[in-house]
PDB file of all heavy atoms in Angstrom:
ATOM      1  N   ALA N 188      87.875 109.530  83.706  1.00 79.00           N
ATOM      2  CA  ALA N 188      86.818 109.554  84.718  1.00 79.00           C
ATOM      3  C   ALA N 188      86.538 110.977  85.196  1.00 79.00           C
ATOM      4  O   ALA N 188      85.389 111.339  85.443  1.00 79.00           O
ATOM      5  CB  ALA N 188      87.199 108.668  85.897  1.00 79.00           C
ATOM      6  N   ILE N 189      87.592 111.787  85.306  1.00 84.00           N
ATOM      7  CA  ILE N 189      87.411 113.162  85.764  1.00 84.00           C
ATOM      8  C   ILE N 189      86.645 113.989  84.735  1.00 84.00           C
ATOM      9  O   ILE N 189      85.742 114.754  85.069  1.00 84.00           O
ATOM     10  CB  ILE N 189      88.780 113.819  86.066  1.00 84.00           C
ATOM     11  CG1 ILE N 189      89.388 113.196  87.311  1.00 84.00           C
ATOM     12  CG2 ILE N 189      88.651 115.329  86.230  1.00 84.00           C
ATOM     13  CD1 ILE N 189      90.831 113.589  87.560  1.00 84.00           C
ATOM     14  N   PHE N 190      86.983 113.823  83.465  1.00 84.00           N
ATOM     15  CA  PHE N 190      86.389 114.659  82.428  1.00 84.00           C
ATOM     16  C   PHE N 190      85.171 114.035  81.759  1.00 84.00           C
ATOM     17  O   PHE N 190      84.613 114.616  80.843  1.00 84.00           O
ATOM     18  CB  PHE N 190      87.438 115.009  81.368  1.00 84.00           C
ATOM     19  CG  PHE N 190      88.527 115.888  81.915  1.00 84.00           C
ATOM     20  CD1 PHE N 190      89.822 115.429  82.015  1.00 84.00           C
ATOM     21  CD2 PHE N 190      88.251 117.159  82.373  1.00 84.00           C
ATOM     22  CE1 PHE N 190      90.834 116.222  82.533  1.00 84.00           C
ATOM     23  CE2 PHE N 190      89.243 117.967  82.895  1.00 84.00           C
ATOM     24  CZ  PHE N 190      90.537 117.498  82.975  1.00 84.00           C
ATOM     25  N   LYS N 191      84.751 112.876  82.242  1.00 78.00           N
ATOM     26  CA  LYS N 191      83.580 112.204  81.671  1.00 78.00           C
ATOM     27  C   LYS N 191      82.333 113.034  81.958  1.00 78.00           C
ATOM     28  O   LYS N 191      82.101 113.479  83.066  1.00 78.00           O
ATOM     29  CB  LYS N 191      83.441 110.813  82.293  1.00 78.00           C
ATOM     30  CG  LYS N 191      82.227 110.067  81.840  1.00 78.00           C
ATOM     31  CD  LYS N 191      82.115 108.762  82.600  1.00 78.00           C
ATOM     32  CE  LYS N 191      80.677 108.320  82.567  1.00 78.00           C
ATOM     33  NZ  LYS N 191      80.327 107.457  83.633  1.00 78.00           N
ATOM     34  N   LYS N 192      81.550 113.224  80.952  1.00 69.00           N
ATOM     35  CA  LYS N 192      80.305 113.981  81.114  1.00 69.00           C
ATOM     36  C   LYS N 192      79.198 113.018  81.520  1.00 69.00           C
ATOM     37  O   LYS N 192      79.121 111.902  81.050  1.00 69.00           O
ATOM     38  CB  LYS N 192      79.938 114.692  79.825  1.00 69.00           C
ATOM     39  CG  LYS N 192      80.951 115.714  79.401  1.00 69.00           C
ATOM     40  CD  LYS N 192      80.329 116.687  78.449  1.00 69.00           C
ATOM     41  CE  LYS N 192      81.355 117.665  77.958  1.00 69.00           C
ATOM     42  NZ  LYS N 192      81.486 118.820  78.745  1.00 69.00           N
ATOM     43  N   ASP N 193      78.328 113.501  82.408  1.00 63.00           N
ATOM     44  CA  ASP N 193      77.177 112.696  82.807  1.00 63.00           C
ATOM     45  C   ASP N 193      76.224 112.583  81.633  1.00 63.00           C
ATOM     46  O   ASP N 193      76.063 113.516  80.840  1.00 63.00           O
ATOM     47  CB  ASP N 193      76.461 113.334  84.001  1.00 63.00           C
ATOM     48  CG  ASP N 193      77.291 113.252  85.262  1.00 63.00           C
ATOM     49  OD1 ASP N 193      78.106 112.317  85.373  1.00 63.00           O
ATOM     50  OD2 ASP N 193      77.109 114.131  86.130  1.00 63.00           O
ATOM     51  N   LYS N 194      75.541 111.439  81.547  1.00 58.00           N
ATOM     52  CA  LYS N 194      74.611 111.218  80.439  1.00 58.00           C
ATOM     53  C   LYS N 194      73.411 112.162  80.518  1.00 58.00           C
ATOM     54  O   LYS N 194      72.927 112.655  79.528  1.00 58.00           O
ATOM     55  CB  LYS N 194      74.123 109.766  80.439  1.00 58.00           C
ATOM     56  CG  LYS N 194      75.187 108.798  80.015  1.00 58.00           C
ATOM     57  CD  LYS N 194      74.644 107.400  79.983  1.00 58.00           C
ATOM     58  CE  LYS N 194      75.756 106.438  79.599  1.00 58.00           C
ATOM     59  NZ  LYS N 194      75.318 105.061  79.639  1.00 58.00           N
ATOM     60  N   ASN N 195      72.929 112.393  81.742  1.00 53.00           N
ATOM     61  CA  ASN N 195      71.734 113.209  81.900  1.00 53.00           C
ATOM     62  C   ASN N 195      71.925 114.166  83.080  1.00 53.00           C
ATOM     63  O   ASN N 195      71.340 113.968  84.136  1.00 53.00           O
ATOM     64  CB  ASN N 195      70.519 112.294  82.118  1.00 53.00           C
ATOM     65  CG  ASN N 195      69.220 113.051  81.944  1.00 53.00           C
ATOM     66  OD1 ASN N 195      69.224 114.253  81.713  1.00 53.00           O
ATOM     67  ND2 ASN N 195      68.111 112.339  82.082  1.00 53.00           N
ATOM     68  N   PRO N 196      72.744 115.216  82.893  1.00 52.00           N
ATOM     69  CA  PRO N 196      73.014 116.124  84.013  1.00 52.00           C
ATOM     70  C   PRO N 196      71.778 116.908  84.460  1.00 52.00           C
ATOM     71  O   PRO N 196      71.683 117.319  85.593  1.00 52.00           O
ATOM     72  CB  PRO N 196      74.105 117.045  83.482  1.00 52.00           C
ATOM     73  CG  PRO N 196      73.996 116.986  82.003  1.00 52.00           C
ATOM     74  CD  PRO N 196      73.444 115.622  81.687  1.00 52.00           C
ATOM     75  N   GLU N 197      70.823 117.136  83.565  1.00 51.00           N
ATOM     76  CA  GLU N 197      69.635 117.913  83.905  1.00 51.00           C
ATOM     77  C   GLU N 197      68.803 117.211  84.969  1.00 51.00           C
ATOM     78  O   GLU N 197      68.277 117.840  85.878  1.00 51.00           O
ATOM     79  CB  GLU N 197      68.792 118.150  82.643  1.00 51.00           C
ATOM     80  CG  GLU N 197      67.703 119.186  82.832  1.00 51.00           C
ATOM     81  CD  GLU N 197      68.268 120.549  83.224  1.00 51.00           C
ATOM     82  OE1 GLU N 197      69.309 120.953  82.688  1.00 51.00           O
ATOM     83  OE2 GLU N 197      67.655 121.208  84.076  1.00 51.00           O
ATOM     84  N   SER N 198      68.723 115.883  84.902  1.00 46.00           N
ATOM     85  CA  SER N 198      67.927 115.150  85.891  1.00 46.00           C
ATOM     86  C   SER N 198      68.588 115.225  87.268  1.00 46.00           C
ATOM     87  O   SER N 198      67.902 115.234  88.280  1.00 46.00           O
ATOM     88  CB  SER N 198      67.742 113.694  85.474  1.00 46.00           C
ATOM     89  OG  SER N 198      68.986 113.027  85.493  1.00 46.00           O
ATOM     90  N   ASP N 199      69.927 115.286  87.309  1.00 47.00           N
ATOM     91  CA  ASP N 199      70.625 115.416  88.579  1.00 47.00           C
ATOM     92  C   ASP N 199      70.312 116.761  89.235  1.00 47.00           C
ATOM     93  O   ASP N 199      70.127 116.848  90.431  1.00 47.00           O
ATOM     94  CB  ASP N 199      72.139 115.283  88.393  1.00 47.00           C
ATOM     95  CG  ASP N 199      72.560 113.879  88.017  1.00 47.00           C
ATOM     96  OD1 ASP N 199      71.752 112.952  88.226  1.00 47.00           O
ATOM     97  OD2 ASP N 199      73.691 113.724  87.516  1.00 47.00           O
ATOM     98  N   ARG N 200      70.247 117.818  88.415  1.00 48.00           N
ATOM     99  CA  ARG N 200      69.981 119.143  88.965  1.00 48.00           C
ATOM    100  C   ARG N 200      68.574 119.238  89.528  1.00 48.00           C
ATOM    101  O   ARG N 200      68.342 119.855  90.543  1.00 48.00           O
ATOM    102  CB  ARG N 200      70.177 120.216  87.886  1.00 48.00           C
ATOM    103  CG  ARG N 200      71.623 120.502  87.638  1.00 48.00           C
ATOM    104  CD  ARG N 200      71.776 121.735  86.764  1.00 48.00           C
ATOM    105  NE  ARG N 200      72.966 121.549  85.992  1.00 48.00           N
ATOM    106  CZ  ARG N 200      73.032 121.481  84.678  1.00 48.00           C
ATOM    107  NH1 ARG N 200      71.940 121.631  83.958  1.00 48.00           N
ATOM    108  NH2 ARG N 200      74.166 121.297  84.061  1.00 48.00           N
ATOM    109  N   THR N 201      67.595 118.637  88.844  1.00 46.00           N
ATOM    110  CA  THR N 201      66.228 118.719  89.338  1.00 46.00           C
ATOM    111  C   THR N 201      66.066 117.929  90.630  1.00 46.00           C
ATOM    112  O   THR N 201      65.317 118.324  91.500  1.00 46.00           O
ATOM    113  CB  THR N 201      65.217 118.225  88.280  1.00 46.00           C
ATOM    114  OG1 THR N 201      65.582 116.891  87.905  1.00 46.00           O
ATOM    115  CG2 THR N 201      65.204 119.123  87.073  1.00 46.00           C
ATOM    116  N   VAL N 202      66.778 116.841  90.775  1.00 47.00           N
ATOM    117  CA  VAL N 202      66.702 116.067  92.014  1.00 47.00           C
ATOM    118  C   VAL N 202      67.331 116.870  93.144  1.00 47.00           C
ATOM    119  O   VAL N 202      66.809 116.896  94.245  1.00 47.00           O
ATOM    120  CB  VAL N 202      67.397 114.691  91.840  1.00 47.00           C
ATOM    121  CG1 VAL N 202      67.533 113.999  93.184  1.00 47.00           C
ATOM    122  CG2 VAL N 202      66.636 113.827  90.863  1.00 47.00           C
TER     123      VAL N 202
END
Side-chain angles (χ1 to χ4, degrees):
I189 290 170
F190 294 114
K191 177 185 157 204
K192 297 200 183 270
D193 291 333
K194 288 182 182 176
N195 194 357
E197 192 60 40
S198 66
D199 291 342
R200 283 190 211 118
T201 56
V202 170

